[in-house]
Amino acid sequence: MHFFSDNATPVCPEVMAAIMAADRADHGYDGDAWSGRLNGAFSELFGTKAVALWIATGTAANSIALACLSPPYGGVLCHEEAHIVVDECGAPGFYTHGASLMALPGEGAKLSPDIVTERLKAIRPDVHQVPARAISITQATEYGLAYTPDEVAVLGDLARDHGLGFHMDGARFANAVAHLGCHPGDVTWRAGVDILSFGCVKNGGMIGEALVFFGERAEARAAEAARRRKRAGHLFSKGRYLAAQLLAMVEDDLWLRNARAANAAAQALAEGAPGRLMHPVEANELFVRLSPAEKARLRAQGFDFYDWGEDAARLVTNWSQDAGNVKPLADAIGALQG
């Protein structure tokens, strides 16, 4: 049983059917009928006018978004364990042509408004220091915690008051919204988010993510992102296959159904690991204290997962699981108590 990552899961049937339905001649690049429906579909989903682009990967989505918000001499305030800091191989710096990532600490990989404020105060308004130009947060965080609408709004107010762009890495946005039970607009544009990287692959897609732009500058930023997408070599000639997946996700609430299934599976695992959880389980990731010997015992029983340091592991559930089919691992972890 695999609990490596939700990147490794199969494509969900509805998305595969949408890809097959798009398998006919149409215009190339993003001039096809499916791509032409993205703005309307995401506007309806978020309850406001939005501009949406399909993007090949999450790395490209995050990096192109930041390039639209920060010049090369600017800085992006983010958590020190954010994906853009730890797992993008320097892509944000590459796409922004040198913008700095201003990495900050925070419990559960969440940015604290107080710490952000103190960092902003420390930046002198002269040419010798990097000026902050954007804030980037991850929803859900790298430790599986969800920012509430109020938490996002406080950071959104800080961004507005200091003239900063506000980006959200939503690789597991669906899992966060499913946990919060709120309208997706409440944790994005209503809270001040300018650009959302909307995850698809981790939630049952095959390939491709979305960049969603909000606010008065949405069209201008989306136009810039479209040029950066082309310049980076990410403008697929048959973009309809990416657009079709995104439409399948959002037009019938598949994105939420898949996320709820993954979250429920994570909760079932959490119930089987009392006293071992390193963080609250709010999405589909669990960080569990396990000794090397205990990890070896679980792997010998056929359970695959990533180490998280010497004495812990990360377990990730996905759309294709439920409480029943993760029960063997929950039981196996429970049996380690003896």
Side-chain angles (χ1 to χ4, degrees):
M1 296 182 67
H2 298 291
F3 296 88
F4 283 128
S5 173
D6 35 11
N7 283 328
T9 58
V11 178
C12 72
E14 295 89 341
V15 168
M16 189 67 80
I19 294 172
M20 293 299 296
D23 193 27
R24 57 182 175 82
D26 204 300
H27 293 284
Y29 306 107
D30 57 0
D32 59 273
W34 291 266
S35 297
R37 287 164 48 198
L38 289 179
N39 289 353
F42 278 92
S43 295
E44 182 174 352
L45 178 67
F46 285 95
T48 190
K49 182 179 179 181
V51 183
L53 299 178
W54 48 256
I55 301 287
T57 68
T59 297
N62 289 336
S63 302
I64 289 174
L66 295 178
C68 292
L69 296 176
S70 178
Y73 57 81
V76 178
L77 295 156
C78 55
H79 195 274
E80 62 189 4
E81 295 188 70
H83 207 79
I84 58 174
V85 175
V86 178
D87 291 298
E88 306 284 30
C89 195
F94 176 80
Y95 278 82
T96 62
H97 300 284
S100 300
L101 297 179
M102 297 173 163
L104 302 172
E107 185 70 23
K110 280 188 175 182
L111 272 189
S112 159
D114 292 340
I115 292 177
V116 171
T117 299
E118 289 303 309
R119 184 67 179 88
L120 288 169
K121 287 179 179 178
I123 302 172
R124 298 192 311 267
D126 59 45
V127 298
H128 300 283
Q129 292 200 311
V130 173
R133 288 292 182 263
I135 296 173
S136 179
I137 63 173
T138 309
Q139 180 74 308
T141 75
E142 282 71 23
Y143 285 107
L145 303 185
Y147 285 91
T148 66
D150 287 344
E151 288 173 327
V152 180
V154 172
L155 292 168
D157 289 343
L158 275 175
R160 184 194 64 242
D161 293 345
H162 290 84
L164 310 177
F166 194 8
H167 165 252
M168 177 179 284
D169 174 357
R172 294 186 176 92
F173 179 75
N175 303 95
V177 173
H179 167 74
L180 294 167
C182 66
H183 189 277
D186 292 342
V187 285
T188 52
W189 65 272
R190 290 192 185 103
V193 172
D194 296 304
I195 308 177
L196 167 69
S197 301
F198 181 91
C200 177
V201 171
K202 286 181 169 66
N203 202 24
M206 176 183 287
I207 185 172
E209 313 283 298
L211 273 181
V212 187
F213 299 81
F214 306 106
E216 295 179 356
R217 299 178 62 185
E219 291 187 3
R221 283 171 169 154
E224 179 182 351
R227 290 192 179 276
R228 291 182 180 276
R229 178 179 65 175
K230 172 61 178 176
R231 186 172 185 267
H234 286 285
L235 180 60
F236 283 22
S237 61
K238 296 181 181 179
R240 62 187 180 275
Y241 295 102
L242 278 71
Q245 295 174 68
L246 293 166
L247 291 172
M249 281 286 178
V250 304
E251 287 188 333
D252 191 31
D253 282 344
L254 176 64
W255 69 292
L256 278 180
R257 294 200 302 276
N258 282 357
R260 286 169 181 150
N263 287 7
Q267 289 298 323
L269 280 181
E271 291 172 4
R276 293 181 179 270
L277 297 177
M278 300 168 64
H279 301 280
V281 179
E282 296 181 352
N284 65 320
E285 294 180 283
L286 299 89
F287 296 84
V288 182
R289 293 182 181 88
L290 293 170
S291 70
E294 289 173 329
K295 286 188 278 190
R297 284 177 60 184
L298 292 175
R299 287 179 171 129
Q301 297 174 65
F303 302 109
D304 293 323
F305 48 84
Y306 288 128
D307 290 337
W308 202 260
E310 184 177 357
D311 295 312
R314 186 187 78 157
L315 311 175
V316 183
T317 57
N318 68 80
W319 69 270
S320 68
Q321 296 171 324
D322 56 28
N325 55 32
V326 301
K327 187 175 186 299
L329 177 55
D331 290 344
I333 293 174
L336 295 174
Q337 306 286 356

